[in-house]
Amino acid sequence: MVLGRERERNELAALLDDAREGRSRALVVRGPAGIGKSTLLDDLVGAAQPDVRVLRAVGVESEVELPFAGLHQVLRPLLPGLERLPAPQAGALRAVFGLETTSADRFLVALAVLTLLSDACEEAPALVLVDDAHWLDPASAEALVFVARRLEAEGLAMVFAVRTGAGRFDAPGVPDLHLGPLPAEVAERLLERSAPEAVRSVRLRLLSEAGGNPLALRELPAALDPDQLSGSAALPECLPLNDRLQQIYHSRRAELPAHYSEVLLLAAVENDGDLAAILRAGGDPDAAIAGLSAAAAAGLIDLGEQRVLFTHPLIRSATYQAASLTERRAAHLALAHAMDEEDERRVWHLAAATIGTDDTVAGLMATLADRSRRAGGATTASRALRRAAALTSSPRVRARWLIDAAECAWTAAEPSQATALLDEAESLTSTPELRARSAQVRGAITHASSDPAIACRTLMDGARLVLESDALLAGEMLVMAARSAWVANTPRQLGEIAVLLDRSDRATSGVSDHFMAQLHWLRSLAPEETPTAVPWSHTPQASAARVPAWLSSTDPKPWVWPPVFLPHLMGDTATTLDAYQRAVDTLRRNGAVGALPMSVAPLVALQLITGQWTVAAANGAEALFLADETGQLGAASHLRAMLAWIAAARGDSERCRELAAESLAISVPRRIASSIAVSHWALGLNALAERKAPTAARLLREVVTPGAPAEHFMMGWLVLPDLVEASLRAGQVEEARRALKEFEYRAIPARLPELRATWLRCRALLAADDEADALFGAALDAPAASAFDTGRTHLLYGEWLRRVRRIKDAREHLHQAVSSFSLVGAEPWADTARHELRAAGELLEEPGTDTSEAWSALTPRERQIVRLVAQGMSNSDIAAQLFLSPRTVGYHLYKVFPKLGLTSRSQLHGRSVPPGGRSVGGAL
């Protein structure tokens, strides 16, 4: 199957259609080796069958000196028709094919070919295909081009495929069709077919090296072993080429004079293409320039004033691979000696030239790795540390550098390689400190990609090794273990972790504030053994001061962050959300691709809670792509579950169910309990939005019922208020009362400002009429997490007011509900509020229509910006949320004001924006 050549296939198909209509045309398809010329010809043969006769020939380099060898391939099926040709033409063809001993005039031969092909087309249209036409013998090429230039109405199509840079094939007057590299997205699809097992980092490298060449995309993976494809083993500086690719890309280099090969090898070894360094290393600048100029004339390199670039990456690989080990080592040493002492490239070349161990060079590589790591170059740091480990003579130092390399590989989104490096390191040493460090990295990888319960045990076991000797390392590992225990829904292990932290605290004095903050958080997280005791000792005042201690904007460590939603449940929403955003921005700047999914997931959770759905959806989609690409299944399942929740709140039921099903398919077999809980919460909210209260109650109950499939000991705090509402709407009053009682016992909402509004709302729903009014009012006075929560309180209050026949007050709150829901795009809830308004006797247009022609004139993007302006946001804030520039926001507002008849943004503050435009920005 041909991928990504629609334009070229259409042009060839048109040529074939012309032949079927009795018209004749010829075409020369030109392109480099492996670009897909032969594939296109094969595809054309398939399109020609069964009504077009196909005549094929292939130019062969060894037959270039055999006159008419190519012509014989084309005409052999037609030789029985020689008898119908005029005698001179028939005699000419017999002569050139060795059927007669007379000589033949070449013009007469060419004319005979035209006549023979024309006669053949009387029975059916014909297609002549000549592959590798650059290797046709000159006599055949001359005769066939003669025919191609004289085609008119024979019903004959002719196509010649010619490799650029591999010989001449002149066809004046015959149109050319040039084949270039495949587009990036098509190249990715082809690579997925040829190497489905290749991990993301390997695919990116292969795509870069192949340069859109289909043959290279198929053959390059074949030269790699399974460990390299899976990412367990690092790829070499120059990718190995199999015989087919080596023959193609090395053959052009072989045409150069032998004394020029040395400077071309220097260019291949000097990966930056630094012309000045190459000339210094070459010794004789004039001879080096002459060699590079010859390579440029041969099409091997592009020679600029400062840079030498190979015309295709695989020419560089072929040049390097063709050289002997001695030649490569000499080239590296020459370049190292040609560079300054401070030049990092000098260290790389010294390391590449070193055979065996060399502790001096190993130390230089480790220092280089440290600089790269601090500069955010995790991939470079990992590679440097691997090389340093290979060069050192000390097994202990080698193990330490391998563990550091594994951590860098993990940060750079190469978990398979990180795991392989840890395996190698652990085989070298039994030192407790190093084994603990290895367990820390392995635990983080397991937490992100596999079973969190296993990750928790790995981290706890590793922390035990260094409780007495390294309190900070033990503390970080135990914080990570606590996060895994949360995700796995194993709260008892939190008590064990707190005990271990106490032991470490007693053994160490003067530990850092950072570590003490982690101690405080873990101790507050662990529930007491006695059921009647207050299960959470947390106070909001204690948390606000400690957030900066464990969230650094200069050195973020997302593996020691609290789990998703926990900061909100413990009263840290606003402070933590800001700290998360700064830390994620730092990780993005540092290129820490591997750390982004597990750091963006808790950010998305807080953005979801606070009603920032547009930016949450955008962040979630970005992180989900990275999580899928890097195999971080834990983050991928959480992100899908949270995106499903946003889809439910927005009314996209089908998308909600799709994302939740995908999340559960990942999380259930791996026991990622917190993700299972969020998925059920999303599905329950979706059922509530669809007014299927019994279904909603059933799904939500599974999150809070001990032993149920979706149980989670703390996620129930978020789910219980929805369960109260769903149970009441389903007529299950006693179930609603039990849910409220559980909420008050487990979450203690009276002590947590973030939960107080939903708690008061739930109490109002179950209170007697003489108490409900005050409780609803108190719920609206309490700070709400988002406009969505405020809208739900207004809606439920309005419904209650209508039932007790306070119609005027009901309408007021129902209008407030519509406004709040419209701010965040919660359309199902806005529709319910409108339905209640109509039930309260208010005339409304159909849901989804605007009450003002001016509002309806706004584009979806303009409507979205107006909503945010109405919330009091500045242009800069809006730009950050919608991923626009402030100038673009201002441009949209400049167009909005005349449409709405406004003169300033202050006139928009607090205004209710009619619903619409839900698909703009952050669409799932």
Side-chain angles (χ1 to χ4, degrees), residues 174-208:
V174 180
D176 284 344
L177 176 62
H178 291 277
L179 288 187
L182 292 173
E185 64 277 8
V186 178
E188 289 184 26
R189 285 162 51 199
L190 180 56
L191 185 58
E192 286 174 3
R193 290 185 178 186
S194 58
E197 69 277 28
V199 297
R200 176 179 178 272
S201 58
V202 174
R203 290 204 310 270
L204 291 176
R205 176 72 184 282
L206 291 172
L207 288 168
S208 174

Side-chain angles (χ1 to χ4, degrees), residues 59-266:
V60 181
E61 189 174 13
S62 61
E63 296 181 1
V64 169
E65 303 302 325
L66 298 177
F68 299 108
L71 190 62
H72 187 264
Q73 290 185 61
V74 175
L75 298 184
R76 184 170 50 190
L78 304 180
L79 291 182
L82 283 179
E83 300 302 327
R84 296 195 300 271
L85 294 183
Q89 295 181 22
L93 284 181
R94 288 194 184 94
V96 299
F97 291 154
L99 301 176
E100 293 183 1
T101 57
T102 59
S103 60
D105 177 76
R106 287 197 172 187
F107 177 80
L108 194 57
V109 170
L111 190 58
V113 174
L114 176 59
T115 305
L116 188 59
L117 290 171
S118 179
D119 287 350
C121 292
E122 290 181 0
E123 299 176 3
L127 171 65
V128 174
L129 297 178
V130 182
D131 205 354
D132 288 337
H134 48 280
W135 282 332
L136 281 177
D137 61 277
S140 294
E142 181 182 86
L144 291 171
V145 170
F146 174 93
V147 174
R149 295 179 61 192
R150 286 159 176 79
L151 294 178
E152 290 186 19
E154 296 82 8
L156 176 64
M158 299 184 73
V159 180
F160 303 91
V162 178
R163 180 189 301 180
T164 53
R168 297 184 60 181
F169 181 80
D170 296 326
V174 180
D176 284 344
L177 176 62
H178 291 277
L179 288 187
L182 292 173
E185 64 277 8
V186 178
E188 289 184 26
R189 285 162 51 199
L190 180 56
L191 185 58
E192 286 174 3
R193 290 185 178 186
S194 58
E197 69 277 28
V199 297
R200 176 179 178 272
S201 58
V202 174
R203 290 204 310 270
L204 291 176
R205 176 72 184 282
L206 291 172
L207 288 168
S208 174
E209 293 283 338
N213 186 291
L215 178 65
L217 289 166
R218 289 191 298 267
E219 299 290 339
L220 277 175
L224 301 178
D225 61 42
D227 286 343
Q228 290 172 323
L229 287 171
S230 68
S232 300
L235 297 179
E237 176 66 24
C238 287
L239 291 183
L241 308 185
N242 59 19
D243 291 343
R244 188 174 182 187
L245 290 177
Q246 180 69 17
Q247 181 181 7
I248 290 172
Y249 289 102
H250 180 60
S251 60
R252 295 168 62 185
R253 174 182 175 273
E255 298 173 3
L256 291 177
H259 59 280
Y260 287 156
S261 61
E262 182 178 338
V263 69
L264 192 61
L265 178 59
L266 287 171

Side-chain angles (χ1 to χ4, degrees), residues 585-669:
D585 290 343
T586 299
L587 291 168
R588 282 196 176 110
R589 285 194 301 271
N590 290 348
V593 178
L596 277 175
M598 66 188 306
S599 56
V600 172
L603 172 64
V604 169
L606 295 190
Q607 289 170 335
L608 177 155
I609 285 291
T610 54
Q612 302 175 49
W613 296 348
T614 297
V615 68
N619 283 335
E622 174 205 19
L624 179 57
F625 172 79
L626 293 174
D628 285 341
E629 287 288 300
T630 56
Q632 297 188 44
L633 300 177
S637 66
H638 279 102
L639 289 162
R640 281 185 168 87
M642 290 186 290
L643 290 173
W645 191 98
I646 295 173
R650 283 175 159 172
D652 192 347
S653 298
E654 183 178 350
R655 183 62 174 154
C656 170
R657 285 188 283 268
E658 177 186 347
L659 285 164
E662 292 174 357
S663 177
L664 291 170
I666 296 171
S667 56
V668 169

Side-chain angles (χ1 to χ4, degrees), residues 144 315 418 814:
L144 291 171
I315 298 177
L814 292 170

